[in-house]
Amino acid sequence: MNTAKRELETNTMLLNLGPSHPAMHGALRTQIELDGELIVRAASEMGYLHRCFEKHSEHSTYQQVIPYTDRLNYLSALMNNVGYCRAVEKLLGIETPERCILIRVVMCELSRIMDHLVCVGTNLVDIGALTNFWYFFNVREKIYTLIEKVTGARLTYAYTRIGGVARDIYPDFPAEVKSVLKEVDQAVNDVRGLVVNNRIFVERTVDVGRVTKQQAIEWGFTGPCLRASGVPHDLRKSEPYYLYNEFDFDIPIAENGDTYDRTMVRFEEIRQSGRIIHQALDRLRPGPVHSDDPRVVMPPKEEVYGSIEGLMRHFKLIMHGIEPPPGEVYSATEAANGELGFYIVSDGSMHPYRIKVRPPCFPLFAAFEKMIEGLMVADAIAILGSLNIVVGELDR
Amino acid sequence: MLEVLKQKFGSAILDHHQNYGDETVVVDRASILEVMKFLKQNAACPFNLFLDLGGVDYPNRNPRFELVYHLYSLPRNRRIRIKTALPESDLKIRSVISVWESADWFEREAFDMFGIHFEGHPNLKRLLMWEGFQGHPLRKDYPIDKRQPIPVMADLV
């Protein structure tokens, strides 16, 4: 018989990853062509969560855009609030008081911690390590509770205002944050200890989805994914804003740019954010949390009721909102995923003429289809989790 | 950087400003690819990170559309904004995908939102909207409450 000599006939098979699958972290769709378990080709599709953020903004006032920005990266919504308000303040030429800046820094770094906790926690679930997820989500809940006490919300805060923040922190906030940070450190130590030499984790992640330095730059990576490939670029160091040049902290980088490194960089960034928060809290002094620029701040009640100027100013701010001078600005902040940029064009009216968001995970997801070719399906899932795609900001 | 660009490209540099500290150069669209290649490959300040690309629609201006590129130089920590204008009657520009791979999806998004054609793009399809979507939503004359035909599901059996 010569059947043994005949080669087995194989056909490739098409498989949809997503759009609706827990491992795809939101509504993402990647169609892959499989040869056995190997990915021969891959192509991604996005847009399932498009909410017309940019079109909507053109029909809103500058203040009305703030709640929309919460819905971009909903894992670290406060960073979008800050990034947007900072861009409009640049357009208006407004300096915010130091206490406001420090509160924004604390909120941003807490958000970065929460974002990384979710990213690493869910990525570990995807590759089979459930316990770590509970360790991380446990402390994340505690940070949520603190932020809820300040902002009144747990997920979509709309906490910043153009020129300041909505309300001051409460007196016990610094002490409570410091105590939660201790628990965060403990959780990071626990989880890191569980995975760093864990054979399953190491084999699933080391050399999986390697991105070289050149590739990372060519593909437009920023944030932890770029730093994991060995490029020490962080806007908090390279273009310091908000007193970041006065804080003592390090930028963790790694060399291989694989899934393992992307996870480890995030572990270390959580610790560094903790250091920044400690320093920012220690620097807090009593003072205003809002700029006193009459173009953006409501006049005090006695002025509204007692003088025609106060009444007019109140009326103008309520009915017309903020009217920045004509011009265009691009303002970038280092969000949890990388550079979050807002390009705003003003025509001098109460509506932004154009807002273009530069979402940090847009180039990351664009590169995903290139990263997974030649790998296995299970690797694709591990890689996707380590890129931390947040569909809210990807699709806008 | 501006002086270098002016020297090298002369009349292709139409305008420039530094409002709000953002270095901005307006480039003639015919030379966009050459200018972009030079910006990425020059030794003094290579803009190796392609950050962002977006369109802006000015219906009362001629040319009507504007494309805005944001670039970053990792070795020098510097930014530059390149703008170029496109007339409605001839809405196309050469793709910069050969310079930065990451321009791929940004150009698809600009095509989707404004209908700008990028010549030389290997896969110029809609990105955020679906195939069969009518119009380009970020154009100023696209009404915010416009309804779209709902795609009909094909029978499975």
Side-chain angles (χ1 to χ4, degrees):
Chain A
M1 301 289 277
N2 58 0
T3 44
K5 283 182 189 166
R6 209 171 65 208
E7 277 189 36
L8 278 173
E9 281 178 27
T10 57
N11 287 320
T12 57
M13 170 184 135
L14 283 179
L15 181 73
N16 275 306
L17 296 179
S20 191
H21 187 277
M24 290 307 277
H25 295 256
L28 299 165
R29 177 177 170 220
T30 302
Q31 197 167 48
I32 53 179
E33 187 183 340
L34 284 174
D35 179 10
E37 214 183 326
L38 281 178
I39 299 169
V40 188
R41 270 189 317 154
S44 305
E45 187 180 58
M46 58 180 266
Y48 290 95
L49 216 63
H50 182 58
R51 287 130 22 245
C52 326
F53 169 80
E54 291 169 8
K55 185 80 177 172
H56 248 304
S57 304
E58 292 173 11
H59 292 261
S60 313
T61 65
Y62 283 87
Q63 296 105 317
Q64 283 170 344
V65 177
I66 298 173
Y68 292 152
T69 62
D70 279 324
R71 278 101 181 139
L72 293 172
N73 183 340
Y74 37 75
L75 298 179
S76 48
L78 281 159
M79 288 179 132
N80 308 304
N81 290 171
V82 171
Y84 169 72
C85 284
R86 191 168 166 268
V88 181
E89 284 155 14
K90 185 175 171 184
L91 195 56
L92 285 156
I94 289 178
E95 290 283 324
T96 43
E98 178 171 302
R99 189 175 171 86
C100 158
I101 288 177
L102 289 170
I103 292 175
R104 284 185 180 183
V105 167
V106 170
M107 291 303 180
C108 280
E109 296 305 324
L110 283 175
S111 304
R112 191 185 315 277
I113 292 176
M114 292 194 296
D115 198 297
H116 287 353
L117 292 176
V118 176
C119 168
V120 176
T122 52
N123 194 14
L124 287 170
V125 173
D126 290 345
I127 50 186
L130 188 64
T131 317
N132 310 287
F133 177 81
W134 305 127
Y135 283 2
F136 271 178
F137 270 57
N138 194 13
V139 286
R140 176 175 172 258
E141 281 303 306
K142 289 182 178 163
I143 303 177
Y144 264 159
T145 306
L146 289 185
I147 293 185
E148 186 185 12
K149 281 199 208 170
V150 175
T151 66
R154 289 178 77 81
L155 194 69
T156 49
Y157 316 98
Y159 175 58
T160 61
R161 295 288 180 270
I162 293 156
V165 291
R167 58 187 77 81
D168 204 347
I169 51 173
Y170 56 94
D172 288 341
F173 181 73
E176 289 180 18
V177 168
K178 284 182 182 177
S179 125
V180 169
L181 280 181
K182 271 189 203 140
E183 295 180 50
V184 171
D185 265 350
Q186 186 59 46
V188 171
N189 285 339
D190 287 346
V191 173
R192 206 173 174 282
L194 278 171
V195 301
V196 72
N197 288 320
N198 180 307
R199 191 171 159 198
I200 301 172
F201 179 73
V202 168
E203 289 191 359
R204 289 291 305 272
T205 56
V206 171
D207 279 334
V208 170
R210 245 183 110 161
V211 178
T212 64
K213 212 186 241 191
Q214 285 73 23
Q215 280 173 329
I217 296 170
E218 185 64 28
W219 290 342
F221 282 20
T222 50
C225 295
L226 179 65
R227 294 190 281 274
S229 296
V231 184
H233 172 65
D234 189 315
L235 294 180
R236 294 173 294 170
K237 286 279 188 198
S238 57
E239 278 183 353
Y241 56 98
Y242 282 175
L243 306 169
Y244 274 115
N245 51 343
E246 294 174 32
F247 297 130
D248 182 24
F249 68 104
D250 300 314
I251 299 299
I253 59 165
E255 281 174 0
N256 289 327
D258 53 17
T259 303
Y260 184 84
D261 281 359
R262 285 190 282 274
T263 311
M264 291 302 148
V265 161
R266 286 198 171 87
F267 276 129
E268 191 53 33
E269 279 191 13
I270 294 176
R271 285 199 190 138
Q272 298 300 331
S273 291
R275 283 175 72 190
I276 298 172
I277 295 171
H278 273 283
Q279 294 168 55
L281 289 174
D282 290 342
R283 233 179 116 155
L284 271 179
R285 298 286 173 271
V289 293
H290 207 292
S291 149
D292 55 4
D293 193 302
R295 290 172 298 170
V296 294
V297 72
M298 288 288 196
K301 269 280 181 271
E302 46 286 10
E303 264 184 53
V304 179
Y305 291 133
S307 73
I308 186 68
E309 291 79 14
L311 186 66
M312 280 164 68
R313 212 174 106 196
H314 185 270
F315 179 82
K316 282 282 286 175
L317 269 174
I318 297 292
M319 301 307 289
H320 292 173
I322 293 167
E323 294 172 338
E328 50 179 347
V329 287
Y330 179 83
S331 163
T333 49
E334 184 73 29
N337 266 340
E339 172 164 337
L340 172 70
F342 284 92
Y343 172 66
I344 303 182
V345 180
S346 160
D347 61 349
S349 74
M350 60 194 273
H351 307 292
Y353 189 77
R354 170 90 167 99
I355 294 187
K356 169 79 176 73
V357 186
R358 192 256 176 212
C361 62
F362 187 85
L364 299 177
F365 189 55
F368 176 62
E369 57 190 34
K370 299 169 196 159
M371 292 171 74
I372 62 173
E373 275 178 19
L375 301 179
M376 302 219 180
V377 181
D379 295 336
I381 300 301
I383 293 169
L384 186 75
S386 74
L387 293 176
N388 194 21
I389 312 296
V390 183
V391 187
E393 84 179 353
L394 180 73
D395 287 355
R396 288 154 286 149
Chain B
M1 200 69 227
L2 179 70
E3 290 312 310
V4 185
L5 280 177
K6 267 188 175 166
Q7 223 169 43
K8 189 143 173 67
F9 295 100
S11 58
I13 308 298
L14 303 175
D15 194 10
H16 60 88
H17 68 75
Q18 277 218 313
N19 299 346
Y20 302 100
D22 298 353
E23 191 169 355
T24 308
V25 181
V26 184
V27 177
D28 183 27
R29 74 164 159 156
S31 353
I32 190 78
L33 196 57
E34 288 75 29
V35 172
M36 288 306 205
K37 260 187 196 144
F38 175 76
L39 282 170
K40 188 185 179 192
Q41 288 159 5
N42 78 90
C45 184
F47 287 93
N48 48 0
L49 198 60
F50 184 91
L51 279 181
D52 193 23
L53 164 63
V56 190
D57 179 11
Y58 298 98
N60 301 324
R61 277 195 206 171
N62 190 25
R64 175 175 165 182
F65 292 95
E66 197 170 73
L67 271 180
V68 187
Y69 299 80
H70 285 97
L71 311 175
Y72 191 86
S73 168
L74 284 172
R76 293 273 175 275
N77 286 336
R78 278 185 57 187
R79 288 173 190 278
I80 196 166
R81 176 189 302 144
I82 303 292
K83 298 205 295 181
T84 184
L86 307 170
E88 194 180 0
S89 54
D90 185 29
L91 206 48
K92 57 186 185 209
I93 189 166
R94 277 186 288 168
S95 163
V96 295
I97 214 168
S98 56
V99 190
W100 296 275
E101 245 180 81
S102 51
D104 183 347
W105 279 25
F106 286 102
E107 291 185 346
R108 279 179 65 188
E109 188 184 318
F111 163 70
D112 190 358
M113 293 293 151
F114 294 93
I116 297 166
H117 284 267
F118 291 87
E119 293 174 318
H121 192 292
N123 183 28
L124 197 62
K125 287 193 303 191
R126 285 189 181 273
L127 184 70
L128 289 163
M129 300 301 156
W130 59 96
E131 291 300 321
F133 186 92
Q134 293 169 359
H136 299 284
L138 276 181
R139 287 188 179 191
K140 289 284 178 185
D141 53 12
Y142 185 95
I144 195 167
D145 52 357
K146 182 176 154 80
R147 309 286 297 184
Q148 289 283 336
I150 297 168
V152 183
M153 283 284 185
D155 289 337
L156 289 179
V157 268

